Amino acid sequence: MKNDGTNQAVRGAPLSWRKYHESTKYIPQGTSTSSKTPLFEDSEPAQIARGKGCRVWDLDGNEYIDFRNGLGPVLLGYCFPQTDEAIINQLKNGIVFGHPHQLEGEVAELLVDNIPCAERVRFLKTGGEAIAACIKIARNATGRKKIIHCGYNGWLNSFTNSGFKPAGLTNARAEAGLPEEILALHSALPWANTTTWEQTFSKYGKDIAAVVIAPDYPEMAKGKDFLPQIRILTQKYGSLMIMDEIVTGFRLALGGAHQYFDFMPDLAVFSKGLSNGMPLSAYLGKSELIDSSRKIGISSTFGGETLSLASAKACINFIKNNNVIPYLWQIAETIWPKVNSLFVKYKVDATIKGFNVCPYINFADFKTKQAFFNACYKNNISMYHVPYVNYSHKKNDIEEALVRIEKAILEISGR
């Protein structure tokens, strides 16, 4: 355990948790992001003070090797020089204006040049609202109402209370607070079960405006066959295909899953990884569809906010010029297969499944899951059920992390 001198507190001191509990008087769960809610009071960092590279420090000065990465957006690393410099330089010239700023066009051009399905681009702030924008566009374009979801498409669009949910929303009832009339227009279908999709389209295809698909973490490899087949199915019935590339964009490939698996959706949404942690989302795709967004009233004051766009420009250029995505694949390969081997070695019933750049830790039971995360925090590893690497994770960081993770696994193995 390390202490960086933030204050004289050591592990067990109340500052981080005291401040967290004070905050719950004013904000539910002490956070606006449910998946960030701390659970383990004897070990977990309740409030973070700062981050650098692939490490974070809590208010008590405890250092953690981080695999949460802001729940995905921190692709290059905390306080990454190139993106920080871009933000600082733009800050000197203004944040948001009543007229367009040149960065909007420049970042849009970068996306069109590098993302296969992108003919035109518009910006918002979060992935969820960009998905909502695409659904509105699809309903307008097709004159239809029904939407099929696959995977987690953000809180706003998980109307069916099925499919993948992040940790903080595991017990949430996404359909609560929505009229029955709206719920009836949304349904969920399973990942990689083409037969079920074909049966559904055979029955309701003429009413389906669009499908919104986020790849499944543990079974992502099945996208090779499944996603092109769904593309053919939607074209057959005149429905639009919307790819949720919020996690997969800039991780599987620059263009996310649709580039990696080589098919072309009508629309796609990118957010995490786009600007190394700054709040920005992009909805993009066919020109006529994106162009319709103005006519149907999709607009946001902060879509052209310049600090996020400056960071995105620097982030995308750095990714392109420094082989970041191949590096993420390579460095991820040096840790998660070894963690899987540790689970086997110490007879812990858990498995890391999926692609190593965005894997999923599958536990046999909830008790084992809780014990593992708790032990990781005690050994100064900030872990997540979808554990991400970033570009700042270097060989020595991974080696150190593996030592700490092995200690955590050994502790819960009962040996």
Side-chain angles (χ1 to χ4, degrees):
M1 183 195 310
K2 299 180 181 179
N3 191 294
D4 71 343
T6 301
N7 52 57
Q8 297 301 311
V10 295
R11 182 180 292 284
L15 180 60
S16 178
W17 278 92
R18 187 176 73 245
K19 294 288 288 184
Y20 169 73
H21 285 305
E22 288 174 358
S23 74
T24 62
K25 300 175 185 177
Y26 313 104
I27 181 170
Q29 299 177 288
T31 174
S32 298
T33 309
S34 297
S35 295
K36 295 181 183 179
T37 307
L39 302 174
F40 306 104
E41 191 152 352
D42 62 335
S43 57
E44 186 173 358
Q47 290 191 341
I48 295 297
R50 68 182 184 92
K52 181 72 173 178
C54 66
R55 299 174 189 245
V56 295
W57 288 261
D58 66 14
L59 291 183
D60 299 300
N62 299 306
E63 175 198 80
Y64 301 81
I65 300 176
D66 182 47
F67 294 102
R68 292 172 76 91
N69 287 295
L71 309 186
V74 182
L75 185 81
L76 300 179
Y78 296 98
C79 296
F80 200 74
Q82 282 78 0
T83 52
D84 277 8
E85 182 181 359
I87 293 166
I88 291 167
N89 288 339
Q90 182 54 45
L91 181 61
K92 297 174 184 177
N93 292 306
I95 300 170
V96 69
F97 304 95
H99 301 274
H101 189 277
Q102 66 185 37
L103 279 167
E104 278 194 80
E106 291 173 355
V107 177
E109 183 178 3
L110 273 174
L111 294 175
V112 169
D113 287 347
N114 290 282
I115 294 177
C117 78
E119 296 176 3
R120 304 270 269 180
V121 181
R122 276 195 123 187
F123 297 106
L124 288 165
K125 279 294 163 217
T126 71
E129 66 175 334
I131 293 290
C134 288
I135 288 174
K136 184 175 173 68
I137 289 170
R139 283 176 167 151
N140 175 68
T142 63
R144 302 173 181 179
K145 298 178 181 180
K146 288 187 178 293
I147 302 294
I148 303 294
H149 296 271
C150 181
Y152 179 66
N153 306 134
W155 71 269
L156 184 63
N157 304 111
S158 295
F159 291 146
T160 62
N161 202 33
S162 62
F164 172 82
K165 290 183 181 180
L169 295 177
T170 301
N171 298 315
R173 290 177 54 244
E175 77 278 14
L178 291 169
E180 292 287 342
E181 295 84 353
I182 293 178
L183 291 174
L185 301 177
H186 293 259
S187 58
L189 289 178
W191 172 259
N193 187 333
T194 310
T195 299
T196 300
W197 284 74
E198 289 174 343
Q199 291 171 347
T200 300
F201 268 83
S202 177
K203 189 173 183 179
Y204 301 108
K206 63 181 178 59
D207 299 319
I208 297 172
V211 303
V212 187
I213 302 181
D216 180 79
Y217 295 107
E219 304 293 338
M220 198 170 291
K222 293 181 179 179
K224 179 180 180 180
D225 295 321
F226 173 65
L227 291 171
Q229 288 173 1
I230 299 305
R231 172 71 286 194
I232 293 170
L233 185 65
T234 54
Q235 289 173 329
K236 176 181 177 180
Y237 285 91
S239 305
L240 299 189
M241 185 177 189
I242 303 167
M243 275 307 298
D244 181 336
E245 303 278 16
I246 293 167
V247 168
T248 48
F250 304 103
R251 283 195 178 273
L252 296 192
L254 269 172
H258 78 270
Q259 183 175 31
Y260 186 86
F261 293 119
D262 192 23
F263 68 97
M264 199 71 72
D266 299 291
L267 294 163
V269 169
F270 289 74
S271 187
K272 295 183 183 184
L274 175 58
S275 51
N276 196 41
M278 289 296 285
L280 185 67
S281 62
Y283 60 105
L284 46 83
K286 292 182 177 178
S287 296
E288 64 271 20
L289 296 174
I290 301 301
D291 286 350
S292 73
S293 60
R294 178 185 178 185
K295 298 176 184 177
I296 62 175
I298 301 172
S299 182
S300 173
T301 297
F302 294 105
E305 176 264 309
T306 62
L307 302 187
S308 295
L309 290 167
S311 183
K313 180 180 177 181
C315 183
I316 295 167
N317 281 325
F318 189 90
I319 291 169
K320 288 177 55 187
N321 297 331
N322 294 275
N323 295 313
V324 167
I325 294 172
Y327 177 80
L328 293 178
W329 280 89
Q330 175 240 316
I331 200 69
E333 183 69 25
T334 67
I335 182 167
W336 306 127
K338 292 180 181 177
V339 174
N340 259 337
S341 296
L342 291 172
F343 285 141
V344 173
K345 177 181 178 180
Y346 294 108
K347 297 181 172 58
V348 172
D349 203 349
T351 307
I352 299 181
K353 301 179 71 176
F355 289 160
N356 286 319
V357 285
C358 46
Y360 185 83
I361 310 178
N362 186 61
F363 296 91
D365 56 71
F366 182 73
K367 184 178 179 180
T368 302
K369 176 181 178 179
Q370 295 296 86
F372 174 71
F373 285 119
N374 193 18
C376 280
Y377 290 128
K378 287 181 178 178
N379 286 278
N380 297 86
I381 294 289
S382 179
M383 188 61 74
Y384 194 48
H385 62 283
V386 181
Y388 301 100
V389 294
N390 71 43
Y391 184 73
S392 293
H393 281 102
K394 303 305 179 185
K395 182 180 178 181
N396 63 306
D397 300 302
I398 298 301
E399 290 173 349
E400 186 178 354
L402 283 168
V403 171
R404 298 184 188 186
I405 293 170
E406 182 169 13
K407 289 180 180 178
I409 293 175
L410 178 61
E411 288 173 12
I412 68 171
S413 71
R415 294 191 175 189

